[in-house]
Short mmCIF file of all heavy atoms in Angstrom, two decimals:
data_model
loop_
_atom_site.label_atom_id
_atom_site.label_comp_id
_atom_site.label_asym_id
_atom_site.label_seq_id
_atom_site.Cartn_x
_atom_site.Cartn_y
_atom_site.Cartn_z
N ASP A 41 -66.43 -50.30 -79.19
CA ASP A 41 -65.41 -50.59 -80.16
C ASP A 41 -64.00 -50.40 -79.56
O ASP A 41 -63.02 -50.27 -80.33
CB ASP A 41 -65.52 -49.60 -81.35
CG ASP A 41 -65.22 -48.13 -80.94
OD1 ASP A 41 -65.33 -47.81 -79.75
OD2 ASP A 41 -64.90 -47.35 -81.85
N GLY A 42 -63.80 -50.39 -78.23
CA GLY A 42 -62.51 -50.24 -77.70
C GLY A 42 -62.06 -48.82 -77.58
O GLY A 42 -60.83 -48.55 -77.52
N SER A 43 -63.00 -47.88 -77.53
CA SER A 43 -62.60 -46.51 -77.49
C SER A 43 -61.79 -46.15 -76.25
O SER A 43 -60.78 -45.43 -76.34
CB SER A 43 -63.84 -45.60 -77.50
OG SER A 43 -64.42 -45.55 -78.78
N ARG A 44 -62.18 -46.69 -75.11
CA ARG A 44 -61.47 -46.38 -73.89
C ARG A 44 -60.00 -46.83 -73.97
O ARG A 44 -59.08 -46.08 -73.58
CB ARG A 44 -62.12 -46.94 -72.66
CG ARG A 44 -61.47 -46.59 -71.33
CD ARG A 44 -62.32 -46.84 -70.12
NE ARG A 44 -61.78 -46.23 -68.92
CZ ARG A 44 -62.45 -46.20 -67.79
NH1 ARG A 44 -63.64 -46.74 -67.66
NH2 ARG A 44 -61.89 -45.62 -66.76
N GLU A 45 -59.80 -48.05 -74.49
CA GLU A 45 -58.42 -48.58 -74.62
C GLU A 45 -57.59 -47.70 -75.54
O GLU A 45 -56.37 -47.65 -75.37
CB GLU A 45 -58.49 -50.00 -75.11
CG GLU A 45 -59.06 -51.00 -74.08
CD GLU A 45 -60.56 -50.95 -73.93
OE1 GLU A 45 -61.22 -50.28 -74.79
OE2 GLU A 45 -61.09 -51.53 -72.98
N SER A 46 -58.27 -47.13 -76.54
CA SER A 46 -57.49 -46.32 -77.56
C SER A 46 -56.85 -45.08 -76.99
O SER A 46 -55.95 -44.50 -77.57
CB SER A 46 -58.41 -45.92 -78.72
OG SER A 46 -59.31 -44.94 -78.39
N VAL A 47 -57.33 -44.59 -75.84
CA VAL A 47 -56.80 -43.36 -75.20
C VAL A 47 -56.15 -43.67 -73.86
O VAL A 47 -55.81 -42.77 -73.13
CB VAL A 47 -57.84 -42.27 -75.09
CG1 VAL A 47 -58.28 -41.86 -76.42
CG2 VAL A 47 -59.05 -42.74 -74.21
N ALA A 48 -55.94 -44.97 -73.57
CA ALA A 48 -55.37 -45.32 -72.24
C ALA A 48 -53.98 -44.72 -72.06
O ALA A 48 -53.57 -44.36 -70.94
CB ALA A 48 -55.29 -46.84 -72.09
N GLY A 49 -53.26 -44.57 -73.17
CA GLY A 49 -51.91 -44.06 -73.09
C GLY A 49 -51.79 -42.63 -72.62
O GLY A 49 -50.71 -42.13 -72.31
N PHE A 50 -52.89 -41.85 -72.66
CA PHE A 50 -52.82 -40.47 -72.24
C PHE A 50 -52.90 -40.35 -70.71
O PHE A 50 -52.73 -39.26 -70.20
CB PHE A 50 -54.03 -39.69 -72.84
CG PHE A 50 -53.91 -39.49 -74.38
CD1 PHE A 50 -54.71 -40.24 -75.17
CD2 PHE A 50 -52.93 -38.70 -74.88
CE1 PHE A 50 -54.63 -40.10 -76.57
CE2 PHE A 50 -52.80 -38.54 -76.30
CZ PHE A 50 -53.71 -39.26 -77.12
N GLY A 51 -53.25 -41.44 -70.02
CA GLY A 51 -53.22 -41.44 -68.55
C GLY A 51 -54.16 -40.43 -67.97
O GLY A 51 -55.30 -40.21 -68.38
N ALA A 52 -53.68 -39.83 -66.85
CA ALA A 52 -54.49 -38.90 -66.07
C ALA A 52 -54.79 -37.62 -66.78
O ALA A 52 -55.63 -36.82 -66.26
CB ALA A 52 -53.80 -38.66 -64.70
N ALA A 53 -54.19 -37.36 -67.92
CA ALA A 53 -54.48 -36.15 -68.66
C ALA A 53 -55.91 -36.10 -69.22
O ALA A 53 -56.44 -35.00 -69.49
CB ALA A 53 -53.49 -35.97 -69.82
N VAL A 54 -56.51 -37.31 -69.29
CA VAL A 54 -57.88 -37.37 -69.84
C VAL A 54 -58.76 -38.09 -68.80
O VAL A 54 -58.48 -39.10 -68.28
CB VAL A 54 -57.91 -38.20 -71.13
CG1 VAL A 54 -59.30 -38.37 -71.65
CG2 VAL A 54 -57.03 -37.53 -72.18
N GLU A 55 -59.90 -37.43 -68.51
CA GLU A 55 -60.90 -38.06 -67.64
C GLU A 55 -61.97 -38.72 -68.51
O GLU A 55 -62.50 -38.11 -69.42
CB GLU A 55 -61.58 -36.91 -66.77
CG GLU A 55 -62.65 -37.50 -65.81
CD GLU A 55 -63.25 -36.38 -64.97
OE1 GLU A 55 -62.76 -35.25 -65.02
OE2 GLU A 55 -64.31 -36.71 -64.26
N TRP A 56 -62.25 -40.01 -68.24
CA TRP A 56 -63.20 -40.76 -68.96
C TRP A 56 -64.54 -40.87 -68.23
O TRP A 56 -64.60 -41.18 -67.08
CB TRP A 56 -62.66 -42.23 -69.12
CG TRP A 56 -63.46 -43.07 -70.04
CD1 TRP A 56 -64.46 -43.90 -69.69
CD2 TRP A 56 -63.37 -43.12 -71.47
NE1 TRP A 56 -65.01 -44.50 -70.79
CE2 TRP A 56 -64.35 -44.06 -71.91
CE3 TRP A 56 -62.55 -42.50 -72.41
CZ2 TRP A 56 -64.50 -44.33 -73.24
CZ3 TRP A 56 -62.71 -42.78 -73.72
CH2 TRP A 56 -63.68 -43.73 -74.18
N LEU A 57 -65.58 -40.35 -68.90
CA LEU A 57 -66.88 -40.43 -68.32
C LEU A 57 -67.71 -41.48 -69.02
O LEU A 57 -68.29 -41.24 -70.09
CB LEU A 57 -67.60 -39.02 -68.47
CG LEU A 57 -68.96 -38.90 -67.87
CD1 LEU A 57 -68.96 -39.05 -66.34
CD2 LEU A 57 -69.56 -37.46 -68.21
N PRO A 58 -67.88 -42.68 -68.50
CA PRO A 58 -68.58 -43.80 -69.13
C PRO A 58 -70.10 -43.62 -68.95
O PRO A 58 -70.54 -43.41 -67.80
CB PRO A 58 -68.06 -45.02 -68.43
CG PRO A 58 -67.64 -44.54 -67.06
CD PRO A 58 -67.24 -43.10 -67.22
N LEU A 59 -70.80 -43.66 -70.02
CA LEU A 59 -72.26 -43.48 -69.95
C LEU A 59 -72.99 -44.60 -70.80
O LEU A 59 -72.40 -45.10 -71.70
CB LEU A 59 -72.59 -42.06 -70.57
CG LEU A 59 -71.98 -40.88 -69.84
CD1 LEU A 59 -72.10 -39.64 -70.73
CD2 LEU A 59 -72.61 -40.65 -68.48
N PRO A 60 -74.23 -44.82 -70.46
CA PRO A 60 -75.01 -45.71 -71.29
C PRO A 60 -75.31 -45.03 -72.64
O PRO A 60 -75.32 -43.84 -72.74
CB PRO A 60 -76.33 -45.96 -70.50
CG PRO A 60 -76.42 -44.72 -69.62
CD PRO A 60 -75.02 -44.33 -69.31
N HIS A 61 -75.55 -45.89 -73.69
CA HIS A 61 -75.81 -45.34 -75.02
C HIS A 61 -77.18 -44.77 -75.08
O HIS A 61 -78.17 -45.47 -75.12
CB HIS A 61 -75.63 -46.43 -76.04
CG HIS A 61 -75.92 -45.95 -77.43
ND1 HIS A 61 -75.34 -44.80 -77.93
CD2 HIS A 61 -76.66 -46.49 -78.48
CE1 HIS A 61 -75.68 -44.62 -79.18
NE2 HIS A 61 -76.50 -45.64 -79.52
N ARG A 62 -77.28 -43.40 -75.06
CA ARG A 62 -78.57 -42.65 -75.10
C ARG A 62 -78.58 -41.55 -76.13
O ARG A 62 -79.59 -40.89 -76.29
CB ARG A 62 -78.88 -42.09 -73.70
CG ARG A 62 -79.11 -43.11 -72.60
CD ARG A 62 -79.22 -42.43 -71.27
NE ARG A 62 -77.94 -41.80 -70.94
CZ ARG A 62 -77.82 -40.83 -70.00
NH1 ARG A 62 -78.81 -40.37 -69.36
NH2 ARG A 62 -76.61 -40.33 -69.78
N GLY A 63 -77.54 -41.31 -76.81
CA GLY A 63 -77.44 -40.29 -77.78
C GLY A 63 -76.68 -39.06 -77.32
O GLY A 63 -76.28 -38.95 -76.11
N GLN A 64 -76.37 -38.12 -78.24
CA GLN A 64 -75.48 -37.04 -77.98
C GLN A 64 -76.02 -36.10 -76.89
O GLN A 64 -75.27 -35.67 -75.99
CB GLN A 64 -75.24 -36.21 -79.24
CG GLN A 64 -74.15 -35.13 -79.06
CD GLN A 64 -74.05 -34.30 -80.34
OE1 GLN A 64 -74.97 -33.75 -80.84
NE2 GLN A 64 -72.83 -34.19 -80.84
N ALA A 65 -77.30 -35.74 -76.95
CA ALA A 65 -77.84 -34.79 -75.96
C ALA A 65 -77.66 -35.30 -74.54
O ALA A 65 -77.29 -34.56 -73.64
CB ALA A 65 -79.30 -34.55 -76.26
N ALA A 66 -78.03 -36.58 -74.28
CA ALA A 66 -77.92 -37.10 -72.92
C ALA A 66 -76.50 -37.15 -72.49
O ALA A 66 -76.15 -36.84 -71.32
CB ALA A 66 -78.55 -38.50 -72.91
N ALA A 67 -75.60 -37.53 -73.36
CA ALA A 67 -74.14 -37.57 -73.00
C ALA A 67 -73.55 -36.15 -72.65
O ALA A 67 -72.84 -36.00 -71.69
CB ALA A 67 -73.33 -38.25 -74.13
N LEU A 68 -73.96 -35.20 -73.46
CA LEU A 68 -73.45 -33.82 -73.23
C LEU A 68 -74.07 -33.27 -71.97
O LEU A 68 -73.38 -32.49 -71.20
CB LEU A 68 -73.87 -32.93 -74.42
CG LEU A 68 -73.04 -33.22 -75.72
CD1 LEU A 68 -73.47 -32.24 -76.80
CD2 LEU A 68 -71.53 -33.10 -75.52
N GLU A 69 -75.28 -33.55 -71.67
CA GLU A 69 -75.88 -33.09 -70.41
C GLU A 69 -75.07 -33.57 -69.20
O GLU A 69 -74.78 -32.82 -68.27
CB GLU A 69 -77.31 -33.56 -70.29
CG GLU A 69 -78.00 -33.08 -69.05
CD GLU A 69 -79.49 -33.44 -69.01
OE1 GLU A 69 -80.14 -33.30 -70.06
OE2 GLU A 69 -80.03 -33.76 -67.91
N ASP A 70 -74.76 -34.88 -69.16
CA ASP A 70 -73.99 -35.43 -68.06
C ASP A 70 -72.57 -34.75 -68.01
O ASP A 70 -72.05 -34.47 -66.93
CB ASP A 70 -73.86 -36.92 -68.16
CG ASP A 70 -75.14 -37.61 -67.83
OD1 ASP A 70 -76.05 -36.98 -67.27
OD2 ASP A 70 -75.29 -38.82 -68.11
N ALA A 71 -71.98 -34.48 -69.18
CA ALA A 71 -70.65 -33.94 -69.20
C ALA A 71 -70.72 -32.44 -68.70
O ALA A 71 -69.82 -32.03 -68.00
CB ALA A 71 -70.12 -33.93 -70.65
N ILE A 72 -71.70 -31.72 -69.08
CA ILE A 72 -71.85 -30.29 -68.64
C ILE A 72 -71.92 -30.27 -67.15
O ILE A 72 -71.26 -29.47 -66.44
CB ILE A 72 -73.07 -29.64 -69.31
CG1 ILE A 72 -72.83 -29.44 -70.79
CG2 ILE A 72 -73.37 -28.32 -68.60
CD1 ILE A 72 -74.07 -29.11 -71.58
N LYS A 73 -72.64 -31.18 -66.57
CA LYS A 73 -72.79 -31.23 -65.09
C LYS A 73 -71.49 -31.62 -64.44
O LYS A 73 -71.17 -31.10 -63.32
CB LYS A 73 -73.86 -32.25 -64.69
CG LYS A 73 -75.30 -31.86 -65.09
CD LYS A 73 -76.29 -33.01 -64.77
CE LYS A 73 -77.68 -32.72 -65.16
NZ LYS A 73 -78.59 -33.82 -64.88
N ALA A 74 -70.72 -32.43 -65.08
CA ALA A 74 -69.47 -32.89 -64.48
C ALA A 74 -68.32 -31.91 -64.60
O ALA A 74 -67.33 -31.97 -63.80
CB ALA A 74 -69.03 -34.21 -65.16
N CYS A 75 -68.44 -30.96 -65.54
CA CYS A 75 -67.32 -30.01 -65.78
C CYS A 75 -67.13 -29.00 -64.64
O CYS A 75 -68.14 -28.68 -63.97
CB CYS A 75 -67.52 -29.26 -67.11
SG CYS A 75 -67.25 -30.27 -68.55
N ARG A 76 -65.92 -28.48 -64.48
CA ARG A 76 -65.64 -27.43 -63.45
C ARG A 76 -65.28 -26.11 -64.14
O ARG A 76 -65.23 -25.09 -63.46
CB ARG A 76 -64.51 -27.90 -62.63
CG ARG A 76 -64.82 -29.25 -61.87
CD ARG A 76 -63.65 -29.64 -60.93
NE ARG A 76 -62.38 -29.72 -61.62
CZ ARG A 76 -61.98 -30.83 -62.16
NH1 ARG A 76 -62.73 -31.90 -62.17
NH2 ARG A 76 -60.77 -30.93 -62.70
N GLY A 77 -65.03 -26.06 -65.42
CA GLY A 77 -64.57 -24.84 -66.00
C GLY A 77 -65.69 -23.80 -66.19
O GLY A 77 -66.86 -24.09 -66.27
N GLU A 78 -65.26 -22.52 -66.24
CA GLU A 78 -66.24 -21.42 -66.46
C GLU A 78 -66.76 -21.47 -67.89
O GLU A 78 -67.90 -21.12 -68.18
CB GLU A 78 -65.51 -20.10 -66.23
CG GLU A 78 -66.42 -18.88 -66.42
CD GLU A 78 -65.70 -17.59 -66.23
OE1 GLU A 78 -64.53 -17.59 -65.91
OE2 GLU A 78 -66.34 -16.54 -66.41
N TRP A 79 -65.89 -21.95 -68.82
CA TRP A 79 -66.31 -22.14 -70.22
C TRP A 79 -66.15 -23.61 -70.61
O TRP A 79 -65.23 -24.27 -70.13
CB TRP A 79 -65.49 -21.28 -71.14
CG TRP A 79 -65.75 -19.81 -70.94
CD1 TRP A 79 -65.23 -18.99 -69.97
CD2 TRP A 79 -66.58 -18.97 -71.80
NE1 TRP A 79 -65.75 -17.68 -70.12
CE2 TRP A 79 -66.55 -17.69 -71.25
CE3 TRP A 79 -67.32 -19.24 -72.95
CZ2 TRP A 79 -67.27 -16.63 -71.80
CZ3 TRP A 79 -67.98 -18.21 -73.50
CH2 TRP A 79 -67.97 -16.91 -72.91
N ILE A 80 -67.01 -24.06 -71.49
CA ILE A 80 -66.88 -25.47 -72.01
C ILE A 80 -66.70 -25.42 -73.53
O ILE A 80 -67.48 -24.77 -74.22
CB ILE A 80 -68.15 -26.27 -71.69
CG1 ILE A 80 -68.33 -26.36 -70.15
CG2 ILE A 80 -68.00 -27.66 -72.26
CD1 ILE A 80 -69.54 -27.12 -69.70
N ALA A 81 -65.67 -26.06 -73.98
CA ALA A 81 -65.34 -26.15 -75.40
C ALA A 81 -65.61 -27.57 -75.84
O ALA A 81 -65.08 -28.54 -75.27
CB ALA A 81 -63.90 -25.78 -75.66
N PHE A 82 -66.48 -27.78 -76.84
CA PHE A 82 -66.96 -29.07 -77.28
C PHE A 82 -66.11 -29.57 -78.52
O PHE A 82 -65.74 -28.75 -79.32
CB PHE A 82 -68.40 -29.07 -77.63
CG PHE A 82 -69.27 -28.72 -76.47
CD1 PHE A 82 -69.80 -27.40 -76.31
CD2 PHE A 82 -69.68 -29.66 -75.57
CE1 PHE A 82 -70.60 -27.05 -75.23
CE2 PHE A 82 -70.51 -29.34 -74.48
CZ PHE A 82 -70.95 -28.07 -74.30
N LEU A 83 -65.89 -30.84 -78.55
CA LEU A 83 -65.29 -31.43 -79.75
C LEU A 83 -65.85 -32.88 -79.95
O LEU A 83 -65.83 -33.68 -79.07
CB LEU A 83 -63.76 -31.59 -79.48
CG LEU A 83 -62.94 -32.28 -80.58
CD1 LEU A 83 -62.99 -31.46 -81.87
CD2 LEU A 83 -61.46 -32.44 -80.10
N GLU A 84 -66.40 -33.07 -81.15
CA GLU A 84 -66.80 -34.41 -81.56
C GLU A 84 -65.54 -35.14 -81.98
O GLU A 84 -64.68 -34.61 -82.65
CB GLU A 84 -67.85 -34.30 -82.71
CG GLU A 84 -69.10 -33.67 -82.27
CD GLU A 84 -70.13 -33.56 -83.33
OE1 GLU A 84 -69.73 -33.20 -84.49
OE2 GLU A 84 -71.29 -33.80 -83.11
N THR A 85 -65.50 -36.42 -81.56
CA THR A 85 -64.17 -37.11 -81.65
C THR A 85 -63.78 -37.60 -83.03
O THR A 85 -62.72 -38.27 -83.14
CB THR A 85 -64.14 -38.25 -80.64
OG1 THR A 85 -65.29 -39.10 -80.76
CG2 THR A 85 -64.08 -37.69 -79.18
N ASP A 86 -64.53 -37.36 -84.05
CA ASP A 86 -64.00 -37.58 -85.39
C ASP A 86 -63.43 -36.30 -85.95
O ASP A 86 -63.05 -36.27 -87.14
CB ASP A 86 -65.05 -38.19 -86.35
CG ASP A 86 -66.38 -37.40 -86.33
OD1 ASP A 86 -66.55 -36.52 -85.55
OD2 ASP A 86 -67.27 -37.78 -87.10
N ASP A 87 -63.43 -35.23 -85.17
CA ASP A 87 -62.89 -33.93 -85.61
C ASP A 87 -61.60 -33.64 -84.77
O ASP A 87 -61.30 -34.34 -83.83
CB ASP A 87 -63.86 -32.77 -85.35
CG ASP A 87 -65.14 -33.01 -86.17
OD1 ASP A 87 -65.11 -33.66 -87.25
OD2 ASP A 87 -66.24 -32.48 -85.74
N VAL A 88 -60.92 -32.59 -85.21
CA VAL A 88 -59.71 -32.17 -84.46
C VAL A 88 -59.71 -30.65 -84.35
O VAL A 88 -60.33 -29.95 -85.16
CB VAL A 88 -58.40 -32.62 -85.15
CG1 VAL A 88 -58.26 -34.09 -85.07
CG2 VAL A 88 -58.29 -32.05 -86.57
N TRP A 89 -59.02 -30.09 -83.37
CA TRP A 89 -58.79 -28.67 -83.25
C TRP A 89 -57.39 -28.31 -83.78
O TRP A 89 -56.44 -29.06 -83.69
CB TRP A 89 -58.83 -28.21 -81.79
CG TRP A 89 -60.15 -28.23 -81.18
CD1 TRP A 89 -61.38 -28.28 -81.79
CD2 TRP A 89 -60.44 -28.19 -79.76
NE1 TRP A 89 -62.44 -28.28 -80.89
CE2 TRP A 89 -61.87 -28.21 -79.64
CE3 TRP A 89 -59.66 -28.14 -78.63
CZ2 TRP A 89 -62.46 -28.16 -78.39
CZ3 TRP A 89 -60.28 -28.10 -77.41
CH2 TRP A 89 -61.66 -28.12 -77.25
N ASP A 90 -57.27 -27.11 -84.34
CA ASP A 90 -55.99 -26.54 -84.60
C ASP A 90 -55.29 -26.17 -83.24
O ASP A 90 -55.98 -25.88 -82.29
CB ASP A 90 -56.08 -25.27 -85.43
CG ASP A 90 -56.52 -25.55 -86.82
OD1 ASP A 90 -56.62 -26.74 -87.21
OD2 ASP A 90 -56.84 -24.54 -87.54
N GLU A 91 -53.99 -26.19 -83.22
CA GLU A 91 -53.33 -25.99 -81.94
C GLU A 91 -53.57 -24.59 -81.26
O GLU A 91 -53.45 -24.45 -80.08
CB GLU A 91 -51.79 -26.22 -82.07
CG GLU A 91 -51.12 -25.19 -82.97
CD GLU A 91 -49.59 -25.45 -83.00
OE1 GLU A 91 -49.15 -26.53 -82.59
OE2 GLU A 91 -48.88 -24.57 -83.53
N GLY A 92 -53.92 -23.60 -82.08
CA GLY A 92 -54.21 -22.29 -81.56
C GLY A 92 -55.66 -21.97 -81.29
O GLY A 92 -56.01 -20.82 -81.03
N LYS A 93 -56.54 -23.02 -81.36
CA LYS A 93 -57.98 -22.81 -81.26
C LYS A 93 -58.36 -22.17 -79.84
O LYS A 93 -59.00 -21.08 -79.82
CB LYS A 93 -58.74 -24.09 -81.43
CG LYS A 93 -60.28 -23.97 -81.31
CD LYS A 93 -60.74 -24.60 -80.03
CE LYS A 93 -62.21 -24.45 -79.76
NZ LYS A 93 -63.14 -25.09 -80.63
N LEU A 94 -57.97 -22.76 -78.79
CA LEU A 94 -58.34 -22.23 -77.45
C LEU A 94 -57.70 -20.88 -77.22
O LEU A 94 -58.40 -19.97 -76.62
CB LEU A 94 -57.93 -23.21 -76.36
CG LEU A 94 -58.78 -24.46 -76.24
CD1 LEU A 94 -58.31 -25.31 -75.01
CD2 LEU A 94 -60.27 -24.18 -76.10
N GLU A 95 -56.50 -20.66 -77.65
CA GLU A 95 -55.86 -19.30 -77.47
C GLU A 95 -56.67 -18.25 -78.18
O GLU A 95 -56.92 -17.18 -77.67
CB GLU A 95 -54.42 -19.36 -78.04
CG GLU A 95 -53.69 -18.08 -77.78
CD GLU A 95 -52.24 -18.13 -78.31
OE1 GLU A 95 -51.83 -19.18 -78.74
OE2 GLU A 95 -51.52 -17.15 -78.15
N ALA A 96 -57.12 -18.55 -79.41
CA ALA A 96 -57.90 -17.58 -80.18
C ALA A 96 -59.26 -17.31 -79.51
O ALA A 96 -59.74 -16.15 -79.43
CB ALA A 96 -58.15 -18.07 -81.59
N VAL A 97 -59.86 -18.35 -79.02
CA VAL A 97 -61.20 -18.19 -78.38
C VAL A 97 -61.09 -17.39 -77.04
O VAL A 97 -61.83 -16.52 -76.73
CB VAL A 97 -61.84 -19.53 -78.12
CG1 VAL A 97 -63.05 -19.45 -77.20
CG2 VAL A 97 -62.23 -20.19 -79.44
N LEU A 98 -60.05 -17.72 -76.21
CA LEU A 98 -59.84 -17.05 -75.00
C LEU A 98 -59.49 -15.59 -75.18
O LEU A 98 -59.92 -14.71 -74.43
CB LEU A 98 -58.73 -17.76 -74.18
CG LEU A 98 -59.12 -19.09 -73.61
CD1 LEU A 98 -57.93 -19.81 -73.00
CD2 LEU A 98 -60.20 -18.93 -72.53
N ASP A 99 -58.73 -15.30 -76.24
CA ASP A 99 -58.38 -13.85 -76.59
C ASP A 99 -59.70 -13.16 -76.90
O ASP A 99 -59.86 -11.99 -76.49
CB ASP A 99 -57.44 -13.92 -77.76
CG ASP A 99 -57.08 -12.44 -78.12
OD1 ASP A 99 -56.47 -11.79 -77.29
OD2 ASP A 99 -57.35 -12.03 -79.28
N CYS A 100 -60.60 -13.78 -77.64
CA CYS A 100 -61.88 -13.16 -77.99
C CYS A 100 -62.68 -12.94 -76.73
O CYS A 100 -63.32 -11.87 -76.57
CB CYS A 100 -62.66 -14.10 -78.95
SG CYS A 100 -64.29 -13.57 -79.30
N ILE A 101 -62.74 -13.88 -75.79
CA ILE A 101 -63.52 -13.71 -74.59
C ILE A 101 -62.99 -12.62 -73.74
O ILE A 101 -63.72 -11.80 -73.11
CB ILE A 101 -63.46 -15.08 -73.81
CG1 ILE A 101 -64.28 -16.10 -74.54
CG2 ILE A 101 -63.96 -14.89 -72.35
CD1 ILE A 101 -64.15 -17.56 -74.03
N ASP A 102 -61.63 -12.48 -73.66
CA ASP A 102 -61.01 -11.45 -72.87
C ASP A 102 -61.33 -10.02 -73.48
O ASP A 102 -61.56 -9.07 -72.67
CB ASP A 102 -59.46 -11.59 -72.85
CG ASP A 102 -59.08 -12.72 -71.96
OD1 ASP A 102 -59.81 -13.17 -71.09
OD2 ASP A 102 -57.89 -13.19 -72.16
N LYS A 103 -61.37 -9.94 -74.80
CA LYS A 103 -61.58 -8.61 -75.43
C LYS A 103 -63.08 -8.22 -75.47
O LYS A 103 -63.42 -7.08 -75.57
CB LYS A 103 -61.08 -8.65 -76.85
CG LYS A 103 -59.52 -8.72 -76.92
CD LYS A 103 -59.05 -8.79 -78.36
CE LYS A 103 -57.54 -8.77 -78.49
NZ LYS A 103 -57.03 -8.91 -79.84
N GLU A 104 -63.98 -9.21 -75.36
CA GLU A 104 -65.44 -8.93 -75.48
C GLU A 104 -66.16 -9.55 -74.32
O GLU A 104 -66.82 -10.63 -74.47
CB GLU A 104 -65.94 -9.43 -76.84
CG GLU A 104 -65.22 -8.81 -78.00
CD GLU A 104 -65.96 -8.98 -79.30
OE1 GLU A 104 -67.21 -8.78 -79.31
OE2 GLU A 104 -65.30 -9.22 -80.36
N PRO A 105 -66.05 -8.98 -73.11
CA PRO A 105 -66.75 -9.58 -71.98
C PRO A 105 -68.31 -9.56 -72.18
O PRO A 105 -68.83 -8.73 -72.93
CB PRO A 105 -66.40 -8.65 -70.86
CG PRO A 105 -65.97 -7.36 -71.46
CD PRO A 105 -65.38 -7.74 -72.76
N GLY A 106 -68.97 -10.47 -71.61
CA GLY A 106 -70.48 -10.55 -71.69
C GLY A 106 -70.92 -11.52 -72.69
O GLY A 106 -72.17 -11.68 -72.84
N LEU A 107 -70.04 -12.20 -73.43
CA LEU A 107 -70.48 -13.17 -74.40
C LEU A 107 -71.07 -14.39 -73.70
O LEU A 107 -70.64 -14.82 -72.66
CB LEU A 107 -69.28 -13.62 -75.28
CG LEU A 107 -68.65 -12.58 -76.17
CD1 LEU A 107 -67.38 -13.12 -76.85
CD2 LEU A 107 -69.65 -12.05 -77.23
N ALA A 108 -72.08 -15.00 -74.37
CA ALA A 108 -72.60 -16.28 -73.90
C ALA A 108 -71.87 -17.42 -74.58
O ALA A 108 -71.79 -18.53 -74.05
CB ALA A 108 -74.10 -16.35 -74.17
#
Side-chain angles (χ1 to χ4, degrees):
D41 69 338
S43 284
R44 185 166 191 170
E45 292 76 13
S46 74
V47 295
F50 294 107
V54 177
E55 180 180 352
W56 187 266
L57 182 63
L59 301 166
H61 180 47
R62 296 171 295 163
Q64 187 185 53
L68 291 180
E69 179 174 322
D70 287 346
I72 290 167
K73 293 176 181 176
C75 286
R76 301 185 301 274
E78 181 183 359
W79 291 80
I80 299 179
F82 298 98
L83 177 62
E84 294 179 317
T85 52
D86 51 354
D87 299 335
V88 294
W89 288 344
D90 292 351
E91 65 178 12
K93 177 251 177 65
L94 286 183
E95 183 177 358
V97 169
L98 288 170
D99 181 60
C100 173
I101 291 168
D102 286 341
K103 291 179 178 177
E104 301 196 41
L107 296 173

